[in-house]
Amino acid sequence: MFCFQCQETAQCTGCTRVGVCGKSATTATLQDLLIYATKGLCEITTKLRQEKQDISRKLNQFICENLFITITNANFDDEIIIKRITDTLNYKQELFAKLQNKDNLSPVALWTTDDENTYLVKGATIGVLATENEDIRSLRELITYGLKGMAAYNKHANALGKFNDEIDSFLQATLAKTVDDNLSGEELTALALETGAFGVKVMALLDEANTSRYGNPEITSVDIGVRNNPAILISGHDLRDLEMLLEQTQGTGVDVYTHSEMLPAHYYPFFKKYKNFAGNYGNAWWKQKEEFLSFNGPILLTTNCLVPPKAEYKDRIYTTGVVGFAGCKHIPGEIGETKDFSAIIEHAKKCPPPTQIETGSIVGGFAHNQVLALADKVVEAVKSGAIKKFVVMAGCDGRQLARNYYTDFAKALPQDTVILTAGCAKYKYNKLNLGDIGGIPRVLDAGQCNDSYSLALIALKLKEVFGLDDINELPIAYNIAWYEQKAVIVLLALLYLGVKNIKLGPTFPAFLSPNVAKVLVDNFGISGINSVEEDIKSLI
Ligand code: FSO
Ligand code: SF4
């Protein structure tokens, strides 16, 4: 195996024997083959579109799910991945038959087999390292990871009934281009930036999907203690799954708590009507081994990030959607279908209530609508000098000790600075009680990682209010933490919006070759993190 798609990759170069995430070599190879088969399928769907033939929504969704399954910590279940490879090849055959012009198809599009036993042998020949030129490899992977993030956000929008054919067409055409040997480094670089443009579009689509169904996030205080009822913990990013779970738990005596990236659900007006929607339990994804144990009840994983579960609580893990782990119960249901959560609810009834690990509350809900409602106050605070600088500290949290930098950085920021955050990176400082500036909290949480879009909208609005020509003239600094591939699409989206001088940490992506990293440094001023003192000095 060779995988270097996430920040925790071994020695900051690549996982080669087993994933630091717990992914086995077999699973990694099967995931590589799933991506390879999907790239071939996308070449054919793209050609069919050129022939003005229709591609069904079902197929668009299937492609997005294939990508989403391979995001770090989403799916470890070989059986599921093998079935998806087979389904992908079957789709490919079906569409190939419809193709009028079958000339000039790549070997990737033409590859097929009806023998599942050959998957591992084939998978070992088509992985990341099969592209020999390290710069082409780097750009191909940068684009592929960005598209994985895009696919995840698109899937969430689709689950709420929002679709955009332009996004699906771009995603598939671009994925196919990552196996096109005729594309130069310059062309692939341009394609990576165009991927960022579609990153903005997909986050806008998801924002519309979320807010049209659940209302605009508003300032909300979320309890982090526990009640005395049996309960279900829901993790991941899928708000539609949460909605169905809350509907089905009404009147059962079972409470529902959010974990990690599901915390921002509390900020939406829609979910406040559910009396059993108890609060948030725990922290970012990587602390789940302790927190799932002490939660005592069943846990529903709706998307990444699942850490291979300990035996002590494995029987309490339920997966749904793209998530999978051999031996854990999977709750089925396609987009548009109502899932049946009765098994997990019955399970919860037999469990003791959660053990309290924290008390108090955290405040969030500062997505674009809420911040713009406070715009006068914010602009006044900037003009008066009460707020000197905003620091965008969005992104992901992770296990590495080096990430304590972000806690230290938040603590060391001067009192006249405000942190704008989104994603699970917030858990490094959202319980520090950093105070407020004239009633404006010093940590403004917009929501999940996709709500980084909100932060971009806020920046664009401030640019307009202050009458500036360039987003980079604003008193905003960017110190972003990344972990998995959704962060890649967020980063590409910010670059597309023209944001410069982003600090990216805790380490630079291993998949950026020195030359590709140089392009990002030279054109966008991206840099890594240094000591807290040095970075406070350079950013503030
Ligand atoms: Fe965190 Fe995991 Fe949302 Fe990622 S929970 S690490 S960026 O999935 O997607 O922020
Ligand atoms: Fe390694 Fe990350 Fe790939 Fe897992 S996802 S195998 S930790 S690079």
Side-chain angles (χ1 to χ4, degrees), residues 36-84:
Y36 180 82
T38 307
K39 288 181 174 182
L41 175 63
C42 287
E43 189 176 321
I44 295 182
T45 60
T46 302
K47 287 210 186 283
L48 284 168
R49 281 196 181 89
Q50 286 159 1
E51 292 179 357
K52 305 279 177 255
Q53 299 206 49
D54 281 343
I55 303 299
S56 69
R57 263 188 190 166
K58 198 169 157 243
L59 182 55
N60 288 338
Q61 287 163 13
F62 175 82
I63 289 168
C64 283
E65 283 168 0
N66 276 2
L67 292 175
F68 201 167
I69 275 179
T70 69
I71 282 184
T72 303
N73 291 338
N75 201 307
F76 299 81
D77 191 332
D78 295 349
E79 258 182 54
I80 291 178
I81 302 166
I82 288 170
K83 177 160 186 329
R84 290 206 74 103

Side-chain angles (χ1 to χ4, degrees), residues 5 36 63 76 79 135 242 247 266 319 419 424 471:
Q5 66 172 354
Y36 180 82
I63 289 168
F76 299 81
E79 258 182 54
D135 298 326
L242 172 68
E247 273 303 316
H266 292 277
T319 61
I419 295 173
C424 60
I471 202 168

